[in-house]
Amino acid sequence: MPVFAGCLTESGASALRTAVEFLPGKLQTLIVDVSPDESVAKAAAYPDTATKQYGGLHAVVNNAGIVGSSFFDDMLSAKDYKAMAEVNTFGVIRVTQTTKDLVKRTRGQVVTVASICGRVGLMGLGPYTVSKYAVSFFRSQLLQELRYFGVSVHILEPGFFRTLLIDEKRFQARLDEMWKTVPEAVKEEYGEKFFKESRERATDMLHKISSPHVHLVVDAYFHAITARFPQLRYQIGIDSKFVFIPLSYLPTGARDTFFALGEKLTGAPVPQHALRKCAPPKSTSIMIDDTKSYSSDGSA
């Protein structure tokens, strides 16, 4: 099967070519950053001519993704959410839109990797969860629109797997860099003890629940592309199938209670001033971001 692999760096492309040197099939690497429009447009122009000898482009797999800065929202900024969305959400949209016409010609497939985080919001993974949730519903839109052209649209919802995204040393290094930029008032509110314990707890939990069997995700790609009757959704991993998917069907209150009990039973750390008693406010103020409404006599 001829494959055009988008790689972020030349070193990554070189390593991939070396890894598949003795495998059957044909591989061509393309240097592409899915964040800038220009980079995606340039990379997508190549398969237009290069795939003619194969009868066209038969499938697109959106796989690029980052974890970026993910922790409590109080310690993040809008820039952290935007940086995540540029790759995880808008990267998928860019690649899909620039290759969509090619896939229409062959009545092929569009395969996109979301995450189980697109189904269940997990504490400390806000930007990642938001970006994957958006991807999930972008796929739902495409599914309805592209069926007119015989194109099938598929989404993968893997649980946690041991890839470089959650490498322990890299994960902790990202958190340490993030903590340096947190305002002093927030550091005081949460406390360094809470941060360190949460960092160790998150790292330990990711190591325990993540699966080393990354080939299961690749197998799902392959099945979605080649099967006579591919699945529309692929839940991959024991945690995805038997923990997060069942949780996603619970009522919101029940799901939140489940998480709260889990934190309590496992002794999860709490912010330094989480239980601080505050005097009730003397008055209540509300900010509404909207235009003013006026009565018929012109008064507000």
Side-chain angles (χ1 to χ4, degrees):
M1 181 181 294
V3 174
F4 297 84
C7 301
L8 181 61
T9 64
E10 182 55 49
S11 60
S14 178
L16 182 59
R17 290 193 296 268
T18 300
V20 303
E21 186 175 0
F22 300 106
L23 297 179
K26 299 179 181 180
L27 172 76
Q28 293 187 49
T29 56
L30 306 171
I31 303 301
V32 56
D33 181 351
V34 298
S35 297
D37 294 346
E38 299 77 13
S39 176
V40 174
K42 181 179 178 181
Y46 180 72
D48 191 5
T49 55
T51 59
K52 289 182 179 178
Q53 59 181 311
Y54 308 120
L57 184 66
H58 294 272
V60 173
V61 177
N62 290 298
N63 179 67
I66 61 173
V67 171
S69 297
S70 283
F71 207 56
F72 281 57
D73 181 72
D74 282 343
M75 304 177 191
L76 304 174
S77 67
K79 290 183 179 179
D80 296 313
Y81 285 86
K82 289 179 180 178
M84 190 83 70
E86 280 295 339
V87 177
N88 293 0
T89 303
F90 294 111
V92 171
I93 294 173
R94 289 185 186 98
V95 172
T96 302
Q97 288 188 336
T98 53
T99 57
K100 199 189 315 180
D101 286 342
L102 301 180
V103 179
K104 282 181 180 179
R105 298 174 194 171
T106 62
R107 296 188 176 186
Q109 294 86 19
V110 175
V111 182
T112 299
V113 183
S115 168
I116 201 59
C117 291
R119 288 285 198 106
V120 179
L122 299 179
M123 183 169 60
L125 288 174
Y128 186 77
T129 298
V130 169
S131 67
K132 291 299 185 179
Y133 188 87
V135 162
S136 180
F137 281 84
F138 175 64
R139 169 261 176 196
S140 297
Q141 167 201 338
L142 286 180
L143 176 68
Q144 298 176 60
E145 295 176 356
L146 293 184
R147 60 185 171 84
Y148 291 116
F149 304 95
V151 176
S152 61
V153 181
H154 312 273
I155 194 165
L156 276 61
E157 297 174 318
F160 291 93
F161 286 85
R162 291 179 195 169
T163 67
L164 290 178
L165 287 179
I166 58 172
D167 176 77
E168 293 180 35
K169 292 183 178 179
R170 293 189 181 194
F171 183 76
Q172 290 198 350
R174 283 196 300 267
L175 290 180
D176 289 339
E177 286 299 314
M178 180 273 304
W179 181 250
K180 293 178 183 178
T181 66
V182 173
E184 289 301 322
V186 177
K187 287 183 178 180
E188 170 63 22
E189 184 177 31
Y190 281 82
E192 189 167 355
K193 181 175 181 291
F194 169 81
F195 169 72
K196 290 182 177 179
E197 289 182 359
S198 296
R199 181 190 62 183
E200 295 301 321
R201 177 183 171 88
T203 304
D204 182 61
M205 185 172 295
L206 285 174
H207 178 74
K208 286 181 178 178
I209 69 173
S210 60
S211 169
H213 304 300
V214 183
H215 68 275
L216 296 176
V217 183
V218 182
D219 290 347
Y221 294 161
F222 190 77
H223 189 271
I225 294 171
T226 62
R228 183 180 179 88
F229 301 106
Q231 301 173 35
L232 294 178
R233 287 182 180 270
Y234 289 82
Q235 280 87 40
I236 311 164
I238 293 176
D239 56 341
S240 176
K241 294 179 179 178
F242 300 110
V243 179
F244 295 114
I245 288 297
L247 279 175
S248 71
Y249 291 119
L250 289 178
T252 302
R255 185 165 63 244
D256 290 345
T257 300
F258 175 87
F259 284 130
L261 286 174
E263 293 165 28
K264 188 172 183 179
L265 292 174
T266 58
V270 297
Q272 181 173 318
H273 295 298
L275 303 179
R276 181 174 54 190
K277 294 182 179 180
C278 299
K282 295 180 179 179
S283 62
T284 301
S285 59
I286 301 174
M287 185 185 76
I288 300 178
D289 184 14
D290 198 357
T291 57
K292 290 184 178 179
S293 298
Y294 292 88
S295 60
S296 57
D297 62 358
S299 60

